[in-house]
């Protein structure tokens, strides 16, 4: 007779395979699908999400979970059961008709957003976004009751298990105190040095793609199990055997696409390195929340690939790719360009000093909207107010303002704080990795990422969701998340 736990494993494997199919359909919708396919795609996504929901909410699920708790399980099985229970609570909180409605509304709103963003037409997407918000609030209220937390924390828990806004509020309040003076000091230190030179463009898209894919391979991307394409907003999707990343190109500045590619490659490397075999289709075999996932993308983008060592390795490749001449292509100049601090409008293009401000603004706005303290029609003005307050700039239009990110329009509410938590975790993990293995820094300087990737495979990727985020950080670095490590990194790179 099968254990209750074994029956659960079979059921969650089915849900995981449906999730893999959903991920590829989402990628196709963003990177390949013609606009005319939107309505049919919405139906496909809604059906698959409903089937996955039904798989996790069978009438016997509560009894199976309770029975499995009494069975003899090893540590990984018990961790898997913990994650199964979390998934079940989230799924069972929602009626099937709400799951269907949300899936269709998200697909519809995303397609409208793609047309509204280039023309800065927030009014065009507002009705669809309002529907998304209303459905998200319904889902959040249902999950909040099931989890015994407030509505924002219930949504946050979808992306960062056990994440709580009270903890984030304390971290972000500290950063809000630290950042304004620090950014001012960094800009003063920068102004005291000669202005770095911009390499002369234009930079053809095909050359940018060639350079990006070369760097992807250097970092460890496996093109037998992945690919790179173009989309309106860079992202990483697919599943471990077939990882899809995207970027977007600017022929006046090759670095925006390149750093986007490096960021998404960090995500891809995490997916490639997740547990295989028995745990491949189980909740414990997934990445440990978006804080850790963003730590992996930002570790590659901000920590490793904006270092002097990496600039020394990459400069000749960049110069050769674009047939560049002159001192603008020297490693030190490219390093200073890559670490230039600038108060800008676009989050994905932001330097690591101002980046947390972009996230703090979004976090405050989405909390206010979810909690009913702000009307959606007031979002553009409140967005601009936040930028004036924290960065001293005002977006000239909504394309550079509240229309720039896909998250809310695609139904991802509660995600944004994981970016800055991820950036802080990235600094802490990278510091621990370098201390553990001196070959990591010297390897990066010659384009050998194998030592860094090996450390990450052992201490992060291969752990899947067997540990909580806090316990994973403690095991890898010796302590829980420490804002002091992130601040020390910023001060050393930008003030010393």
């Amino acid at each position: 007779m099968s254990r209750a736990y074994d029956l659960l494993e079979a059921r969650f494997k089915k849900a995981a395979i449906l999730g893999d199919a959903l991920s590829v359909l989402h990628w196709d919708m963003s990177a390949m699908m013609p606009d005319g396919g939107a309505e049919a795609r919405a139906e496909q996504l809604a059906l698959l999400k409903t089937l996955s929901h039904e798989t996790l909410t069978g009438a016997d699920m509560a009894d199976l979970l309770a029975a499995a708790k009494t069975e003899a399980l090893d540590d990984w099985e018990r961790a898997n059961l913990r994650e199964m229970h979390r998934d079940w609570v989230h799924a069972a909180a929602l009626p099937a008709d709400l799951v269907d409605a949300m899936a269709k509304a998200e697909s519809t709103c995303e397609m409208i957003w793609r047309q509204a963003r280039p023309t800065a037409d927030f009014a065009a997407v507002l009705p669809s976004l309002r529907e998304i918000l209303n459905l998200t609030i319904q889902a959040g209220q249902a999950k909040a009751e099931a989890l015994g937390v407030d509505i924002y924390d219930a949504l946050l828990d979808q992306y960062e298990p056990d994440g709580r806004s009270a903890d984030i509020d304390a971290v972000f309040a500290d950063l809000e105190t630290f950042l304004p003076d620090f950014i001012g000091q960094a800009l003063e230190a920068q102004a005291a040095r000669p202005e770095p030179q911009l390499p002369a463009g234009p930079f053809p898209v095909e050359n940018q793609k060639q350079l990006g894919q070369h760097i992807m391979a250097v970092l460890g991307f496996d093109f037998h199990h992945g690919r790179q394409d173009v989309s309106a907003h860079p992202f990483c999707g697919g599943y471990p055997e077939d990882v899809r990343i995207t970027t977007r190109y600017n022929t006046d500045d090759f670095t925006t696409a390149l750093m986007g590619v490096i960021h998404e490659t960090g995500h891809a490397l995490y997916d490639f390195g997740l547990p295989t075999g028995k745990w491949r289709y189980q909740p414990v075999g997934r990445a440990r929340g978006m804080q850790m996932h963003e730590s992996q993308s930002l570790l590659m983008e901000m920590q490793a690939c904006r270092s002097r060592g990496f600039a020394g390795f990459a400069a000749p490749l960049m110069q050769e790719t674009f047939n560049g001449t002159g001192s603008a292509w020297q490693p030190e100049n490219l390093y200073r360009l890559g670490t230039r601090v600038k108060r800008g409008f676009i989050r994905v293009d932001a330097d690591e000093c101002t980046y947390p401000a972009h996230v703090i603004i979004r976090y405050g706005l989405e909390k206010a909207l979810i909690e009913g303290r702000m009307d959606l029609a007031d979002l553009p003005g409140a967005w601009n107010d936040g930028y004036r307050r924290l960065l001293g700039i005002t977006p000239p239009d909504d394309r550079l303002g509240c229309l720039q990110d896909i998250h809310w329009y695609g139904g991802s509410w509660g995600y944004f704080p994981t970016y800055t938590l991820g950036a802080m975790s990235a600094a802490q993990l990278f510091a621990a990795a370098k201390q553990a293995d001196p070959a990591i820094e010297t390897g990066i300087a010659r384009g050998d990422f194998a030592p860094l990737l090996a450390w990450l495979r052992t201490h992060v990727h291969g752990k899947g969701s067997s540990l909580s985020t806090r316990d994973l950080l403690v095991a890898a670095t010796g302590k829980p998340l420490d804002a002091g490590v992130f601040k020390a990194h910023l001060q050393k790179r930008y003030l010393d």
Side-chain angles (χ1 to χ4, degrees), residues 7 29 34 100-101 108 118 124 147 166 171 221 289 300 335 355 405 432 445 465 488:
L7 296 174
M29 184 173 74
D100 180 78
T108 299
L147 291 165
V171 171
F221 190 92
M300 288 297 175
Y335 168 74
Y355 192 98
D405 293 307
S465 284

Side-chain angles (χ1 to χ4, degrees), residues 326-385:
S327 58
W329 296 97
Q330 292 300 307
E332 182 62 20
N333 184 70
L334 291 173
Y335 168 74
R336 285 167 50 213
L337 281 173
T339 55
R340 185 171 47 176
V341 180
K342 182 180 180 181
R343 294 184 173 102
F345 302 117
I346 302 298
R347 175 186 61 84
V348 297
D349 296 337
D351 59 86
E352 60 185 333
C353 298
T354 60
Y355 192 98
H358 292 264
V359 173
I360 290 169
I361 291 166
R362 288 156 176 76
Y363 170 67
L365 292 173
E366 70 175 4
K367 273 192 78 180
L369 289 164
I370 289 295
E371 294 170 357
R373 294 182 282 110
M374 187 175 89
D375 186 79
L376 198 55
D378 298 327
L379 177 60
W383 181 286
N384 293 349
D385 289 343

Side-chain angles (χ1 to χ4, degrees), residues 132-142 151 155 369-372:
I132 290 276
L133 178 58
N134 290 338
L135 291 170
T136 299
I137 289 172
Q138 290 179 48
Q141 289 171 337
I151 184 171
L155 296 172
L369 289 164
I370 289 295
E371 294 170 357

